[in-house]
């Protein structure tokens, strides 16, 4: 048995889009099941996202605290954002998000992991990068608004984030996955074994 996710697409006999928002939409598909029956599946259509686990020379992770209205919480997160342009290079999008949200740049970039956030109800795919060799970005800070205007920034030791994740105190998807993936890579094959920043991403193909 090969332990690897594989592409597959079951036949869709009808589809509608009952809601279309600014960035995402909701789609309803009638899907033919293996036994020949037809089941209706509603899901959110999402452009995809990138996230950045930025690790400084002292072993601290750059995190931010932001209000998230759907869950009625202020969550500690890592910098992240949407792939606003179809086919956009995810590395370029990640570099932009790190600059806009933290006014930081990084010289060393690698792919930490790729995930589907909620594959039972949304097609969002996220590429989480590891960024190292950090420094302050040049120029003026990016002007923020709405929830981001209330955002807090901090640098937290990795082991403290791991403790918070396992204690059920930290809940943001990308932070949890990124922190645990980084810990596993450090304890296993090492960070140099991670994929290059421009590694192919079948879930969201892009041009280099």
């Amino acid at each position: 048995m090969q332990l690897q996710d594989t592409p597959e697409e079951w036949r869709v006999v009808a589809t509608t889009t009952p809601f279309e928002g600014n960035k995402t939409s909701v789609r309803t598909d009638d899907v033919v099941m293996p036994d020949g029956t037809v089941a209706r599946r509603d899901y959110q259509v999402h452009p995809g996202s990138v996230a950045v686990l930025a690790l400084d020379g002292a072993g601290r992770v750059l995190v931010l605290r932001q209000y998230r209205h759907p869950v009625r919480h202020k969550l500690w997160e890592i910098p992240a954002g949407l792939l606003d342009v179809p086919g956009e290079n995810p590395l370029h999008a990640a570099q932009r998000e790190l600059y806009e949200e933290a006014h930081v740049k990084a010289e060393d970039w690698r792919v930490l992991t790729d995930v589907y956030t909620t594959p039972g109800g949304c097609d969002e795919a996220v590429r989480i990068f590891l960024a190292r060799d950090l420094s302050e970005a040049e120029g003026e800070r990016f002007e923020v608004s709405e929830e981001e205007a209330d955002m807090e920034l901090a640098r937290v030791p990795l082991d403290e984030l791991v403790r918070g994740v396992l204690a059920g105190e930290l809940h943001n998807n990308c932070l949890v996955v990124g922190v645990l993936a980084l810990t596993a890579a450090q304890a296993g094959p090492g960070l140099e074994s991670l994929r290059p920043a421009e590694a192919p991403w079948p879930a969201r193909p892009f041009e280099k």
Side-chain angles (χ1 to χ4, degrees):
M1 181 182 67
Q2 186 178 18
L3 194 63
Q4 180 177 339
D5 297 336
T6 55
E8 185 168 342
E9 187 169 353
W10 293 358
R11 187 162 64 94
V12 175
V13 294
T15 185
T16 59
T17 304
F19 169 78
E20 190 163 354
N22 186 33
K23 297 293 185 181
T24 67
S25 60
V26 173
R27 183 175 297 164
T28 298
D29 288 344
D30 291 342
V31 186
V32 180
M33 300 288 112
D35 63 0
T37 60
V38 175
R40 180 157 291 177
R41 294 289 178 262
D42 303 315
Y43 59 99
Q44 183 184 17
V45 178
H46 195 284
S49 306
V50 292
V52 185
L53 195 151
L55 184 69
D56 71 13
R60 301 174 302 173
V61 176
L62 194 157
V63 292
L64 51 91
R65 189 169 181 245
Q66 186 172 349
Y67 177 66
R68 294 300 187 182
H69 186 71
V71 295
R72 308 307 199 268
H73 270 69
K74 270 193 171 182
L75 300 179
W76 284 104
E77 307 179 350
I78 57 177
L82 297 175
L83 289 168
D84 293 313
V85 181
E88 182 178 16
N89 187 311
L91 173 59
H92 299 165
Q95 291 169 332
R96 180 186 68 236
E97 293 300 329
L98 185 61
Y99 163 73
E100 291 182 356
E101 295 193 344
H103 201 64
V104 166
K105 64 179 181 179
E107 298 302 322
D108 186 277
W109 290 82
R110 293 176 184 270
V111 175
L112 188 54
T113 190
D114 299 324
V115 295
Y116 290 115
T117 55
T118 48
C122 179
D123 71 352
E124 181 184 16
V126 180
R127 169 156 282 188
I128 304 176
F129 289 91
L130 172 65
R132 293 180 293 172
D133 193 5
L134 308 182
S135 62
E136 289 294 313
E138 295 89 2
E140 295 186 7
R141 287 184 173 272
F142 183 79
E143 187 175 344
V144 296
S145 61
E146 300 177 346
E147 291 94 342
E148 292 183 352
D150 188 48
M151 199 161 55
E152 305 169 47
L153 292 173
R155 295 195 184 200
V156 180
L158 177 62
D159 58 358
E160 186 175 333
L161 293 174
V162 172
R163 184 208 60 77
V165 167
L166 298 180
E169 298 168 356
L170 300 171
H171 307 90
N172 174 262
N173 172 295
C174 292
L175 183 145
V176 170
V177 172
V179 162
L180 297 184
L182 175 60
T183 302
Q186 289 178 329
L191 301 185
E192 301 309 312
S193 69
L194 295 173
R195 288 172 291 161
E198 298 275 10
W201 189 19
R204 293 294 186 274
F206 62 93
E207 294 183 8
K208 295 185 179 180

